[in-house]
Each structure stands twice: as C-alpha cells, then as structure tokens.
Amino acid sequence: MRSDLIPLLQPSSLLFLTPAASRCRRCLPARQVGACPAPVDKTQKMAELLGLGDERGEGASGAPTLADSCLADNRLNLDVYPDGCRRLLQLFEGRRGEVVQVEFLRLSSNDRLLGAALGILPRLKHLKSLVLKGGHARDEFGSCQHGSLTSLPPDVGSLRCLTHLDLSFNSLSTLPSCIPRLPGLRVLSVSHNSLVALPEDFGSLSKLTFFSAMKNQLKDLPQSIGDLAALKDLDLSENALEVLPEEVGNLHSCTQLDLSGNLLSSIPDSVGNLKSLRRLHLHSNLLVTVPASLASLPNLSRLDLQNNCLRTVPPELQTLPFVHLRGNPLGETEPPPQAEGSGVTELQRLFLASGEDSFTVTSEGCEVILACGIHFYFPAGAASDPVRIDFRTLEPDPRWVKLRHHDILLSRVLELQPHGVKFQQEVQIWMPYASPQSLRQREVVVRTFSGHSWSDLRTQVEQETKSKKHVAHCRVLHFSWFLVVSRLVQNECQVPTEGTLLFSSVDPNIKVTFPPGVTEETRNVKLQVLPVSAEEIAELTADAGCRASPLLCLSQDSLVDFLRPVRIQLPLPFGVTGLNLDRSRLHLLRGDVQGQTWDDITSQVVLEFTHLYAVFEVTHFSWYWLWYTTKTYIGGIAKKVYERLRMYQVNFIALQRKKDPEQVLLQCLPKHKVDPVLKKLQDRYRGPEPSDMVEMFEGEQFFAAFERGISIDMDRPDCVDGRLSFIFYSHLKNMKEIYVTSPVDRKGQAVKGQVSFYRGAVPESIPEEASRRRKGPDSLWLATLPIKLPRLKPRWGENPRPQNGFFFSPLNLGNAETGYLTQANLLSIARRVGADWQTIGLNLGLTYQQIERIGYNNREDLDKQILDMLFSWAQQNSEDPDCVSKLIKAMKESGRQDIADEVESIIELGRQKYRESIRRVGLEQESSTEDSATATM
C-alpha cells in the first residue's frame, strides 16, 4: 500500500496529546452508524492491547486534557468527529489566539460545514500540516464517499510554513491555483480525485519530495514536472496517461516512480537518467517496448513490467532477478492484421496480484484474472474509450443482500465500478463459488443488483480443468454488484393470449395449462418446485401417517389476475393413489408469498383426481401444497413444516491455538461439516467438544460474547455492544479468529472464562411464529463453550511494572539530549501505519521470516500485527542511540513521509524541552537525563 492510501478506517494519527483516560463524554461523539472512519479513539484500543491506557509521556504533563477542549498543544485533529468543522469554528471564535498557533490540522471533507471552515485556513500562519481528506463516510453498500472539496481559498498560498498537504478522496477536477505558490511544500497528496491535468507552473514546488496523484484522470503531464529537483517519490498510478514528457528524466532525486495502471505504450529513454531510482512500477499498461538503459540504473531493486504487451525485452533486462514480466506475450509473434469480420484477435491477458484493485480496459479488449480466481473477458470493441475498472469483494450483509426462500449464498459479493458503466458488447464473468452439497433439484445462478433490486442472470456452471473448482459463468452489458446463489430450479415461459403449457423439469408430472384468452397481454410466468420426502414429513410432524406432495411455487410479472382459470396438475402425496384415496383426508393448501400463512382451500376449488394426480383451477398464483392426513388444523402444521424446511442444524466450536492460547477460533458449522473441520484443525488447535445442535436460518445474525474474565477489543468493526457479530451462511465460512485478553493478573492464576453465542436480528422473511419464539432473554441464548487462558510464566530477568492489569518493561528510544520516543509515542505511530506494516518492518531490518511469523501469529487482527512488528523492533534496538533516525529513514523508504515528518516533530519538541529544562535548573547534560521531557503524539 502506498503512502497516500492511509487507511480510511482509522482515525487520525495526530489525535491528542492527552491519554485515553482523560476523555470525557462531552468531547466524544456517539458512534455513527455507517460512518467511515468510525469516530472512536483507536489510541485507546492499542493502549489496551499494550496496557498503556494511563501512561503519559514525560513531556505531556503540562498539556491540556481532552476534558478541557479538543485543542491539544499545537494540533487540531477534528476528522474523527462528524461535526469537526463546527468545532473548529467554535474554537476559532472562543480561543482564536490558540487556534492561530496550530501547526497540524485535520478535517473531514465529508463535513457539511467544510466551506465555512475553509475560510479560517489563511489565518493559520503557523500551519505545517493540513489534511482535508474525504472517505470518512460510506454509502449503504460500504463504498467510501468522496469529499465535497472542489477548490481551496486563494489565500492558502500565503501559508509559508505549510510543508504537508493531503487532499485525497475529494472532488477536485483541477489543482487549486494556490498550491504551486506554497514554497515550502514537501509532501502533496491529491489521490482519488478527478484531476485531468496538472498546471504548467507545477514545477515551481522546488522543495516537493513526495507527490501522489494516483486514481485520477490525468492524460498528460506538464513539462515543468522535470523541475522538481527534490522529488523522491512520485505516484501517478491508475490514471489515463498515454505519453510521458522527456523532462521526467530530470528527476534525479527520485527513488520510487509508480506509473502502473495507465495507457502508456512506451516510456522515454530519459528515464534511464534516474540514477537514484530504486523502484519503478510500470505494470498494467500497454507497453510494447522498454528502453535497455533501465538495466544500467545502479540502485534499481524492482522493475515491474507485468501485464503489458511486451513481445520482446532487451536482453540486458531479461537476466535481472528484480524484473517482473508475468502477463506479457513474450516470444509470441505479432499476429497479422485481421480482415474485418475474419475472426477474433487474441486478447491481452492481465494477471492481477492480491494487492491490486483496478485495471484498464481499452477498445482492443483483454482478459483479466484476479488473484481470488474471478475471471473477466472483454471482447474487442466492448469499450469504445479506455475505462478503468475498480473492483473489490465484500462480506455479504443481509440488510441489502436479499435472499429468497430456499436460496443458498455461495460466494462473497463482487463490486465492480463505475456502477452502471455500459459496454458495447457483452462482457463475460467467471465467478468461483462454494459448491453446494447437491445440485439435484437446484441450480446455480449469478445474481446482480441494479441499485434498486436483485435479478438473476442466465448462468452456465463450469468446472476448471486444473483446480476442479466450480465457477459460474455469465454475460453482462453493465457493471454493479454480483454474487452466486443456489436456488430452486426455475422454469419459466411467456404466456400469450393463445395460451401455452408450462411443466417442471424437476418433476415433469407437475404441469400448468394456460387456456386461450387467459390474458390480454403477454406475461412472464415462473415455476419452482421443492420436493419433500415422506421421511422428512414424518420426522417433522412426528406422524408417520402424514403425507405431502412436492411444494409448488408459481409467480408472474403482472399484478392482474388471469382472465380465465389456469389448470394445475400436482402428483398425489407419496403412497396415495386414486384407488385408495380418502377425500376427507386430502387438503389443498395455498400459502402467501412469504409462507407466513397457509389456508386450506379444498372447499373453494373443484378437485379432480386421476390414478396419480390431482387437478384444480386458479386465477392467481402463490404456493400450492397437497397434504394427506387425519389432522384437522392442517394449516398450522404446514406452516411449521415449511419453517423447518428452511432451517439448518448447526454446531458451534471454540478452539484455542496450541502455541498461543490467546488466539481463539470461533466457527458455526452445519452438523455434517463438524467432524471434517475438527479433523483438519486438531494439529494446531485444542478446545472443548462442539456445542449441542441448534437451528438457524440462512442469512441469520448471531453474536459471540466472551464472559467470566475474558475480554476482546471493543473497537473492532464487527463488535456490537461488546459482542462479535456473525452472519450465518450455510456454505460460507462463518469463522473468525481473534485475540482475547483478560483484566486478571495471569501471573498469579489461570483464567477460566467462556464464550456464549446468542441470536441476533431475525431475517425479514422468517415466519412470524418463529420470530415470536425468539424474543425474550431465554430464547436468545444458543450455546456456551469454555475458554481457558493459562497462567503466565515470568520471564528471566524481567522487572515489570503494572499497567491496567498488564506488565511491560519501560521503553525509551533515543537519548535525553535528542529526545525520547516512548511507548505512548510508538503506540500513536502504530495507529498510522495501516497495511504498510510489512514494508516498514523490512526497511527497519526485520527479516522476511520474522514478518511472516508476525502476520501468521496475529492474522485477522491488523492492529496486533502492527504492534507486534513495531515493538519487536523497538525492544531489539532499544540500546541503539541511532534507532530513532533509523525509524525515520525506514518510514521515508516505505513511502510514509507523513509519519517520518511527525516523528521528526516529536524529536524536535523533545530537544526544545530538554534545552528549556537545562536552562531552568542549570544542570549539565550528563545529569539531566531524568529531567528531560519527551513529547507525545
């Protein structure tokens, strides 16, 4: 992940100088549903993991507390509040003298009062860092919403101290004219906007060291870009660049250049002059040639040429180990020009890695294979102009993924953007899915969402030759959301005024006859059948004498009843024939659309019988079901049976990793999967026997709550009121592996806790009676399983001190004269790192094996991965007097200039306070170690 992609789900790293313990209700907003990021203090979250909730940096004792105001020292971080701009305006009116001294300011550009707040900016003459990012809100489908920022006040150009400006995720179509007039600007990010060009005077930013304009619409670059002599990191990925100016070769300080995801067919030879270049990303372009001079770049350690149109590569490049060429037609001859209509030209193939989330389609077409196995085929001419496709896979949310009766979800949701983009020719999509137990009487379809409703696409089921995985193949002319479901086999036909015949492919004995004159206009009619065995009926009713026919569902696209009766033929229940039929025991039931009520309509229709069938006539469509029983109130029995037919019998498991008992795996499994899953996990996990069997509906929500001394991170996005939220889908992995802790001092004793599972929100389509049964405290509980955290063994030579129930050794990086970085400082740094933690760890000197082990031990928990990496490095280098400078260097090499700048600011503040303490008490440097102050972020 690049430096401009600071994780949108995390609040600002420049939050407060005061600790979490000083917060008050007055200054903290309520959690906003659907907001991104959620306005919660993630410093507290990480502090709880490390036991630093009450720790203050030595130099923070004089800082104002959060209870006093949201203004902390020289920083205002208001993007974590939904009303941050209002708070800024209020502070400016009430405490103007302090506000104009602010050096670091963060605001959300999703704030409705942003326009009013912008007017204050030119008065903040001491401002060094300004962040006006969007992406702090999400729409109903989880997509980040761009901010409303389209320009900046011209007087912002007078901010002579401004060195860092972040305008990402906004609606800029042109670069504000004030930006080239900022002489001290070193870091500029305008990624995720709509810029089509950069101004000609852009090269006047002579001190710029970092510039990101990824995910815009840039078509060309000004020649003045070559004047950016100090530029080290340039990211222009995922734009529409077709050509680069020769002046790019003048960027002699550039160490990282990212031009991936553009429309470049070549790059200028002058790029060979970039002697400082370490990483050059050119993947996912249209390159047909690259200069051989790239091989002579002395510091180049990565050259990414994947997914281009290269048929030949200079020999000097072919042998270099850091050159990546996958996805190119290397060695293939240029195909002869195709005469019009003579055939299909072989298309370019793109193989996207797991970190990539977009690609570009041109009029020439292409094949695209995603890391998750999804495959696209864009024929030549499908797109008249180049179009960039953004994609992501989402966890299904039952609030908008609406499953119909007896549907089974088989995949995650695939979102393709731009939403609604239309193609000139059909685009083919292959989506892998979890193969259902049986395809008998069911079929697999791709379902797509138009923004208003879901509809099923004509789908072919295929099996990949090598992997043997099942894929669903469909064709579309537009992009939106897609998922794979298994549904009851659906037969359909058009009913004209002349009438027609429709029968079931599941049971050909089920027929529907439409007589002439049945409708004035052609209608579309659908038929589905759910077979129910005699054994199922006997088990569900506890009555061996009960029999039932297959369930028949009829629907149409018109709200008007038919003009003439429609004739329906159903087979008699199993074991019943026209010879032994007792008509008093036969009942014809009609269910409503949701299956909530079942009415006995035997007396309302004329039933005719043959040896094997019952025939009747209706004028409108619904569910129909024949029952043969001695029971009197058959409607209530049918309702309960119908409800049970939609349920799954499941068990819960709670396992702890053998090597790390604090890692707990929770999973809800259909009963037939329990034994195979436990067998696969037994070498790495241990735990109690699975829970007793319970019943759940497809798409039903449930929660896991840790109890009796076991706790989890309450700020997890899937945590609701202290409980983990799950959605049960029978064919998807209802599994989470989490890190648990305990407030109990485990050096004295083990902790015997438990995890309990509770029902949550009931799906909308659940029968009313089932919903009523699930209300009340007793009905919500599902199961409880024990969790034991063993007693901790003290480490040799350890001199701990207690903090919030945890024990950690004091940690100070650096020295008294230059300033320390404390645990609290590192905690704040960790909150900013995000998905870049692996790159940062490698640049800090950790080995690949260490990085892999940290990721494996803390999987499913990004925060824990970051903390483990950063504090492992800190403990190893705590005696190194140059460790702080190495940290700053690693951040810069990882493209995180923003964090490097902040660390430098902390150290500078520490130096100032150290000098002040020397002057104040008149001590020599050697004796002032304990009195020197350190800054907190």
Side-chain angles (χ1 to χ4, degrees):
M1 181 178 287
R2 306 174 186 86
S3 60
D4 59 293
L5 291 179
I6 299 172
L8 299 177
L9 290 175
Q10 300 194 17
S12 160
S13 58
L14 308 174
L15 192 53
F16 299 105
L17 292 180
T18 54
S22 64
R23 297 177 301 167
C24 73
R25 293 182 183 272
R26 177 169 56 87
C27 292
L28 283 183
R31 180 182 291 272
Q32 302 295 309
V33 177
C36 172
V40 291
D41 188 351
K42 295 198 79 173
T43 301
Q44 182 191 20
K45 171 182 177 180
M46 293 190 177
E48 290 173 354
L49 288 174
L50 285 174
L52 294 172
D54 295 325
E55 181 178 10
R56 296 172 181 261
E58 292 180 44
S61 58
T65 64
L66 185 58
D68 295 330
S69 80
C70 303
L71 178 61
D73 204 12
N74 60 348
R75 296 169 173 81
L76 263 178
N77 301 278
L78 301 174
D79 55 343
V80 295
Y81 297 105
D83 59 346
C85 289
R86 180 182 63 83
R87 291 171 183 256
L88 176 63
L89 296 171
Q90 290 176 343
L91 283 171
F92 189 73
E93 288 299 318
R95 302 171 62 181
R96 183 170 305 188
E98 296 174 70
V99 173
V100 295
Q101 300 297 320
V102 165
E103 297 180 2
F104 300 89
L105 175 63
R106 298 180 70 99
L107 292 172
S108 166
S109 57
N110 296 109
D111 196 308
R112 61 184 181 86
L113 294 179
L114 178 66
L118 291 178
I120 296 176
L121 297 183
R123 306 190 190 186
L124 308 182
K125 300 299 183 181
H126 299 276
L127 201 60
K128 294 180 179 179
S129 174
L130 175 61
V131 177
L132 300 172
K133 290 179 64 174
H136 291 261
R138 290 182 179 270
D139 60 22
E140 59 180 316
F141 305 109
S143 300
C144 289
Q145 295 181 337
H146 283 228
S148 59
L149 186 69
T150 57
S151 63
L152 290 176
D155 290 344
V156 169
S158 64
L159 299 178
R160 320 302 291 179
C161 298
L162 193 65
T163 61
H164 173 255
L165 179 60
D166 190 344
L167 306 177
S168 305
F169 280 93
N170 278 295
S171 305
L172 299 172
S173 57
T174 59
L175 196 72
S177 59
C178 60
I179 291 181
R181 293 189 283 109
L182 294 169
L185 197 63
R186 292 196 296 162
V187 177
L188 174 61
S189 178
V190 289
S191 61
H192 296 268
N193 276 278
S194 302
L195 299 175
V196 296
L198 297 176
E200 288 298 328
D201 59 347
F202 187 72
S204 62
L205 297 171
S206 58
K207 295 185 179 180
L208 198 66
T209 61
F210 174 90
F211 176 57
S212 174
M214 71 170 296
K215 288 203 172 183
N216 278 272
Q217 300 169 21
L218 297 175
K219 296 183 178 179
D220 52 35
L221 300 175
Q223 294 180 349
S224 65
I225 198 168
D227 298 335
L228 303 176
L231 192 63
K232 295 182 178 180
D233 195 325
L234 177 58
D235 187 352
L236 298 171
S237 60
E238 301 187 54
N239 279 276
L241 296 173
E242 298 181 1
V243 65
L244 295 178
E246 288 286 341
E247 287 75 11
V248 169
N250 297 332
L251 301 175
H252 299 296
S253 300
C254 189
T255 60
Q256 178 157 306
L257 178 58
D258 194 338
L259 298 166
S260 59
N262 280 282
L263 305 175
L264 299 170
S265 58
S266 63
I267 57 173
D269 292 337
S270 61
V271 175
N273 299 329
L274 304 181
K275 303 301 182 183
S276 300
L277 198 61
R278 296 177 59 189
R279 292 174 175 267
L280 178 56
H281 300 276
L282 292 166
H283 67 79
S284 305
N285 274 278
L286 304 175
L287 295 175
V288 295
T289 180
V290 289
S293 58
L294 296 180
S296 62
L297 293 176
N299 295 306
L300 196 63
S301 61
R302 182 178 180 88
L303 175 57
D304 193 343
L305 297 171
Q306 298 180 91
N307 298 326
N308 278 283
C309 303
L310 297 170
R311 299 183 182 277
T312 60
V313 174
E316 299 91 331
L317 292 174
Q318 291 182 3
T319 58
L320 297 177
F322 54 79
V323 178
H324 301 268
L325 293 166
R326 183 184 179 190
N328 284 282
L330 294 173
E332 299 180 11
T333 58
E334 186 77 26
Q338 296 280 339
E340 187 174 351
S342 62
V344 179
T345 306
E346 184 177 353
L347 301 182
Q348 177 191 13
R349 302 189 75 190
L350 305 179
F351 296 89
L352 301 190
S354 57
E356 299 177 78
D357 59 2
S358 66
F359 55 89
T360 300
V361 179
T362 67
S363 60
E364 297 178 359
C366 62
E367 287 186 68
V368 182
I369 297 93
L370 308 186
C372 61
I374 297 174
H375 182 189
F376 302 95
Y377 181 89
F378 296 86
S384 54
D385 297 312
V387 56
R388 187 178 71 215
I389 304 298
D390 296 289
F391 63 87
R392 61 175 178 162
T393 57
L394 307 169
E395 293 292 340
D397 187 333
R399 290 175 298 179
W400 59 279
V401 175
K402 303 297 184 183
L403 296 180
R404 301 162 192 164
H405 285 210
H406 310 288
D407 282 350
I408 300 172
L409 186 61
L410 301 179
S411 76
R412 299 180 66 184
V413 181
L414 169 66
E415 181 185 11
L416 298 173
Q417 293 181 314
H419 297 154
V421 62
K422 295 185 177 179
F423 297 96
Q424 307 299 317
Q425 298 185 45
E426 287 186 330
V427 176
Q428 299 183 58
I429 305 177
W430 287 264
M431 292 183 64
Y433 63 88
S435 180
Q437 281 184 276
S438 173
L439 291 177
R440 189 173 64 88
Q441 301 148 1
R442 304 190 68 87
E443 60 188 354
V444 172
V445 295
V446 175
R447 188 166 290 171
T448 182
F449 187 68
S450 63
H452 302 285
S453 61
W454 291 91
S455 59
D456 293 346
L457 301 173
R458 190 179 300 275
T459 306
Q460 292 179 304
V461 174
E462 302 173 7
Q463 189 173 27
E464 295 181 345
T465 305
K466 293 183 179 180
S467 66
K468 302 300 181 181
K469 292 182 179 179
H470 291 88
V471 292
H473 177 202
C474 65
R475 301 169 184 262
V476 296
L477 286 170
H478 74 282
F479 275 177
S480 59
W481 293 266
F482 302 87
L483 52 82
V484 183
V485 299
S486 171
R487 70 180 186 188
L488 298 177
V489 173
Q490 182 171 285
N491 303 111
E492 59 183 304
C493 71
Q494 297 289 325
V495 180
T497 56
E498 297 81 9
T500 188
L501 174 66
L502 175 63
F503 63 90
S504 168
S505 58
V506 173
D507 188 343
N509 296 315
I510 299 177
K511 299 179 181 180
V512 183
T513 304
F514 300 89
V518 72
T519 179
E520 292 181 348
E521 298 180 353
T522 300
R523 307 187 191 190
N524 183 261
V525 173
K526 298 176 182 178
L527 177 154
Q528 290 178 298
V529 171
L530 175 63
V532 186
S533 68
E535 291 77 12
E536 286 179 295
I537 295 295
E539 179 183 354
L540 296 175
T541 62
D543 184 355
C546 273
R547 297 286 188 271
S549 71
L551 245 172
L552 171 64
C553 178
L554 293 170
S555 60
Q556 59 167 323
D557 60 358
S558 174
L559 299 177
V560 181
D561 288 347
F562 290 101
L563 301 179
R564 297 187 59 187
V566 176
R567 191 174 179 87
I568 299 175
Q569 174 181 293
L570 279 178
L572 292 171
F574 179 78
V576 180
T577 68
L579 298 178
N580 62 8
L581 175 64
D582 181 352
R583 293 197 177 200
S584 65
R585 298 175 58 184
L586 190 71
H587 302 268
L588 176 62
L589 304 182
R590 180 178 63 204
D592 63 2
V593 176
Q594 296 298 330
Q596 297 279 9
T597 60
W598 290 88
D599 298 323
D600 189 340
I601 62 170
T602 310
S603 61
Q604 302 174 25
V605 299
V606 177
L607 278 170
E608 302 176 8
F609 301 98
T610 67
H611 182 62
L612 297 175
Y613 311 115
V615 181
F616 57 95
E617 294 182 341
V618 297
T619 56
H620 71 275
F621 282 171
S622 186
W623 290 89
Y624 294 98
W625 208 354
L626 277 175
W627 276 73
Y628 193 74
T629 179
T630 57
K631 304 288 186 182
T632 52
Y633 182 56
I634 189 59
I637 298 175
K639 180 177 179 180
K640 292 179 181 179
V641 172
Y642 182 79
E643 172 189 325
R644 294 285 301 277
L645 287 173
R646 297 179 56 201
M647 284 183 169
Y648 291 86
Q649 295 180 334
V650 302
N651 301 89
F652 297 98
I653 61 173
L655 304 177
Q656 294 174 262
R657 185 175 289 275
K658 291 181 179 179
K659 294 184 178 180
D660 185 3
E662 294 176 338
Q663 291 286 331
V664 179
L665 182 148
L666 304 178
Q667 191 168 8
C668 175
L669 292 164
K671 66 176 184 179
H672 68 276
K673 294 183 179 181
V674 172
D675 289 340
V677 169
L678 290 178
K679 187 175 181 180
K680 290 174 61 177
L681 297 175
Q682 64 183 1
D683 292 336
R684 292 174 292 145
Y685 295 86
R686 66 165 60 96
E689 291 295 317
S691 71
D692 292 337
M693 187 272 295
V694 297
E695 293 183 328
M696 302 192 75
F697 289 97
E698 184 86 358
E700 182 173 358
Q701 186 180 33
F702 66 95
F703 295 94
F706 288 90
E707 301 161 341
R708 298 179 60 185
I710 306 292
S711 59
I712 60 172
D713 172 20
M714 299 297 182
D715 284 340
R716 289 176 58 111
D718 57 354
C719 193
V720 181
D721 297 329
R723 302 180 302 171
L724 283 178
S725 173
F726 291 78
I727 306 295
F728 172 73
Y729 292 105
S730 58
H731 284 67
L732 301 185
K733 288 186 177 180
N734 309 289
M735 179 188 72
K736 293 183 181 180
E737 189 164 8
I738 61 172
Y739 180 80
V740 301
T741 59
S742 174
V744 179
D745 180 6
R746 289 169 52 203
K747 288 196 174 181
Q749 61 181 339
V751 178
K752 296 181 180 180
Q754 63 187 30
V755 58
S756 295
F757 298 90
Y758 298 90
R759 294 195 188 274
V762 179
E764 294 179 1
S765 58
I766 296 305
E768 181 182 353
E769 184 175 332
S771 178
R772 283 201 305 266
R773 288 205 309 268
R774 296 184 175 202
K775 294 180 180 178
D778 294 336
S779 61
L780 294 180
W781 176 83
L782 292 167
T784 295
L785 295 171
I787 297 290
K788 181 179 179 180
L789 295 181
R791 178 180 176 181
L792 292 178
K793 297 179 180 179
R795 297 178 182 176
W796 179 83
E798 192 177 39
N799 183 25
R801 58 188 177 96
Q803 295 176 353
N804 287 358
F806 291 86
F807 288 77
F808 289 93
S809 301
L811 175 66
N812 287 316
L813 300 181
N815 57 67
E817 183 174 355
T818 60
Y820 288 120
L821 285 180
T822 67
Q823 286 177 324
N825 299 143
L826 288 179
L827 187 62
S828 294
I829 291 171
R831 195 186 57 214
R832 301 189 65 173
V833 169
D836 290 333
W837 73 271
Q838 293 173 306
T839 302
I840 293 172
L842 291 172
N843 287 325
L844 284 172
L846 299 181
T847 65
Y848 281 102
Q849 290 77 13
Q850 287 176 296
I851 294 295
E852 289 177 355
R853 174 56 58 183
I854 290 171
Y856 180 79
N857 289 340
N858 305 290
R859 59 190 180 282
E860 302 295 334
D861 195 331
L862 177 62
D863 291 334
K864 190 62 179 176
Q865 292 171 344
I866 297 168
L867 289 169
D868 198 349
M869 177 276 295
L870 196 57
F871 279 82
S872 295
W873 169 82
Q875 295 289 353
Q876 295 172 13
N877 295 271
S878 59
E879 302 299 325
D880 184 354
D882 296 325
C883 61
V884 175
S885 61
K886 292 179 180 179
L887 176 62
I888 295 173
K889 181 180 179 182
M891 292 298 177
K892 292 180 179 179
E893 291 177 345
S894 305
R896 297 307 300 268
Q897 183 71 39
D898 56 327
I899 301 180
D901 289 345
E902 187 60 20
V903 175
E904 289 177 336
S905 298
I906 293 172
I907 295 303
E908 178 59 30
L909 183 58
R911 293 193 190 103
Q912 293 176 7
K913 292 188 176 182
Y914 172 75
R915 290 192 292 266
E916 291 173 1
S917 67
I918 291 296
R919 288 194 299 269
R920 185 172 63 252
V921 300
L923 298 177
E924 295 297 329
Q925 293 182 5
E926 291 79 12
S927 64
S928 62
T929 300
E930 295 181 356
D931 296 324
S932 64
T934 59
T936 59
M937 294 182 82

